[in-house]
Amino acid sequence: MEDRSVTGAGARPAPALRQYVESYVGFDLRGLPAGVHCGPPGRALTVVISLSDAPLGVAAGVDDGSPVTRFGSVAGGLMCRSVAIHHDGRHRGVLVALTPLGARALYGMPAAELARRLVPLDELLGALAVELSDRLRAARTWAVRFAVLDELLLRAVVRGSQGDHGHGVRPEVAQAWRLLVAARGGVQVGALAGELGWSRRYLTERFRGELGLSPKTFARVLRFAHAHELAASGTRCRGARWQPSPATPTRPISCGTGASSPAGHRRPGGAAKSSSEPVSRRPSAPRAGCCSLFFKTAPTRCRTIVGMRLVEHETDPLDLRTTPVHLGRGSRARPVEGFAWDPEVLQAYTAAVAADGAEGRMVMIFDGEGPGDHWESHPAGDELVVCLTGSVTVTREVDGVSDRVVLGPGEATVNPAGVWHAVDMEGPASLLSVTATLGTDHRPRSGTRPAGHLGTTSPEEGA
């Protein structure tokens, strides 16, 4: 009998592909009992390329009578229910996740034409799909296979750019997709439409016409996918607060997806076999070690639920204007995903990094113009301020005397611990700061000096 083995590898595509392709995942399953893998719906269009001798048996539904179709390689659009993948206990292949932009770039059609459908890959890519399958099978390592994917998918993009496939994805639709994904579906569609300057009806029509699902349905799919990830991980951050809302149901999640529990492996004729329980109850007490926090915020920012977490081992490019990096003990550098200047998120961030104490630092870029509106002080440690563009003036109050420093691009200054200071930007300017995360104090700016020497309540004191 063959030993049980589950191995694989993952990779990001080449930079030129990343607006179209999210990720590659290679998998090699051996010695498992024959059964059905339930693939839950998610944010991406998928391509599965089989590297096994036997074709894939795939159905567009689980336990609902959907017919099983055999594919060598299969492409799917956005789904609103789980897909069933039948296997005999041994299977090897590659999963490619595409963004909605990828449908037009690679296939020459909007993602809507593939919504809720499973299509043979050669019907979309022609001879390129055959070459892709042959070369992936001939390759001996995952690294080589991922390089083959980069080469041939780039070729498909170039070929598609030379054809006439009508208009591209509307920027507003692409932005709506990004906002929904960033908030994991926790977005009021009306607020989202207002953010884009469209009516709700017009957004729904345009979104469905491009992606095949309405923004409301897609948001429900995203919420389900996120709940599935949380249940599968079985972890929660210490100090997190769970607030039931339409975006975080406490009843079994159906979302119109045809999957009311996290997808797992199913034996033929049996119940789902999964390491996690269905998301049908209030979560148990959080466990230490994970930094996923969920807090309700005002809908004016197009989000009803904000997810904040510290990301381990991130290697992709970051925008420090929206995603700061936390520097902590042990020489760790962790991006702060889902960060926002919201009191509850700031409290969540403070709680998540409390173990770093006075050694914790936040690295972030700020763009601005004109005088600052407050004084601030960092009792726990020094702050580094670096001017990136324009002109930045830092005014400090030291022993009752004002100290003014003007910075040009590439120049920096250090604000000592506990010293009150204010920042002004002459014209459009950008600065990078490395700031102590423990106990920052603020005072409204009136005149040229701070209003007093007693600090305001820090996030951890007000929690």
Side-chain angles (χ1 to χ4, degrees):
M1 182 176 178
E2 187 176 33
D3 292 336
R4 178 170 179 169
S5 173
V6 179
T7 60
R12 287 276 282 167
L17 280 171
R18 290 182 185 173
Q19 61 178 316
Y20 311 120
V21 184
E22 286 194 351
S23 63
Y24 305 140
V25 176
F27 57 90
D28 191 349
L29 314 178
R30 306 185 186 195
L32 299 176
V36 180
H37 171 73
C38 305
R43 72 188 196 183
L45 289 75
T46 56
V47 176
V48 181
I49 303 167
S50 175
L51 304 180
S52 299
D53 294 333
L56 289 165
V58 187
V62 179
D63 295 341
D64 63 354
S66 297
V68 178
T69 305
R70 300 291 172 180
F71 299 95
S73 300
V74 61
L78 293 176
M79 300 288 182
C80 55
R81 58 179 178 170
S82 292
V83 171
I85 303 174
H86 297 251
H87 63 88
D88 61 3
R90 180 173 183 174
H91 193 70
R92 184 173 59 163
V94 178
L95 172 69
V96 180
L98 307 180
T99 70
L101 295 174
R104 285 189 181 271
L106 272 68
Y107 305 146
M109 63 177 65
E113 294 191 24
L114 296 172
R116 303 182 179 88
R117 295 179 59 204
L118 300 171
V119 180
L121 187 61
D122 56 6
E123 288 189 10
L124 301 173
L125 295 181
L128 193 64
V130 178
E131 180 183 353
L132 182 59
S133 179
D134 290 344
R135 291 182 59 181
L136 290 176
R137 288 170 180 266
R140 297 302 177 202
T141 67
W142 290 117
V144 173
R145 294 185 184 109
F146 297 149
V148 168
L149 284 166
D150 280 345
E151 176 191 342
L152 296 190
L153 294 182
L154 278 169
R155 191 193 304 172
V157 170
V158 171
R159 183 180 66 180
S161 67
Q162 297 171 347
D164 181 13
H165 303 306
H167 299 291
V169 179
R170 287 283 298 265
E172 295 89 349
V173 173
Q175 177 68 356
W177 177 82
R178 285 190 288 266
L179 289 171
L180 283 164
V181 168
R184 300 186 181 95
V187 178
Q188 297 289 338
V189 177
L192 179 60
E195 182 83 4
L196 300 172
W198 284 358
S199 70
R200 176 175 179 142
R201 179 176 178 180
Y202 190 71
L203 170 62
T204 298
E205 291 174 351
R206 290 292 182 176
F207 195 92
R208 184 188 290 117
E210 185 63 43
L211 276 71
L213 303 180
S214 70
K216 183 176 181 179
T217 298
F218 184 59
R220 292 165 65 191
V221 167
L222 291 172
R223 294 196 296 269
F224 171 80
H226 183 54
H228 168 258
E229 291 170 3
L230 291 176
S233 69
T235 58
R236 197 80 82 212
C237 181
R238 180 187 306 162
R241 301 185 324 189
W242 182 273
Q243 298 187 359
S245 74
T248 52
T250 54
R251 61 184 183 278
I253 300 174
S254 64
C255 305
T257 64
S260 61
S261 66
H265 173 73
R266 298 176 67 93
R267 300 175 185 272
K273 185 73 172 178
S274 173
S275 60
S276 59
E277 299 178 2
V279 184
S280 59
R281 56 182 175 81
R282 187 184 182 93
S284 57
R287 302 192 321 195
C290 171
C291 293
S292 296
L293 303 175
F294 302 91
F295 296 91
K296 298 194 72 172
T297 64
T300 56
R301 296 185 61 87
C302 277
R303 291 184 292 186
T304 55
I305 294 292
V306 172
M308 195 286 297
R309 68 187 184 103
L310 301 184
V311 182
E312 303 284 351
H313 310 302
E314 178 62 73
T315 58
D316 293 332
L318 299 170
D319 184 350
L320 286 174
R321 292 170 175 82
T322 58
T323 306
V325 171
H326 176 78
L327 306 180
R329 289 180 177 175
S331 300
R332 294 178 302 167
R334 294 178 290 174
V336 186
E337 185 179 276
F339 182 80
W341 294 105
D342 176 272
E344 290 187 309
V345 175
L346 292 173
Q347 289 177 7
Y349 168 69
T350 300
V353 302
D356 293 324
E359 302 304 314
R361 293 293 185 273
M362 173 185 280
V363 182
M364 195 168 190
I365 291 176
F366 298 88
D367 298 324
E369 182 175 2
D373 61 0
H374 68 277
W375 294 87
E376 64 182 39
S377 170
H378 313 290
D382 299 343
E383 177 188 51
L384 175 67
V385 177
V386 184
C387 177
L388 301 179
T389 63
S391 177
V392 174
T393 300
V394 179
T395 302
R396 289 185 284 257
E397 178 79 4
V398 181
D399 296 328
V401 179
S402 292
D403 173 33
R404 187 168 176 266
V405 179
V406 179
L407 305 176
E411 295 181 326
T413 189
V414 174
N415 293 317
V419 171
W420 286 96
H421 56 274
V423 177
D424 303 315
M425 295 182 172
E426 304 296 330
S430 298
L431 66 82
L432 178 144
S433 68
V434 182
T435 307
T437 57
L438 188 64
T440 293
D441 299 331
H442 293 90
R443 277 285 185 257
R445 195 172 185 184
S446 57
T448 59
R449 297 189 177 188
H453 294 283
L454 294 177
T456 57
T457 303
S458 64
E460 67 271 17
E461 292 168 345

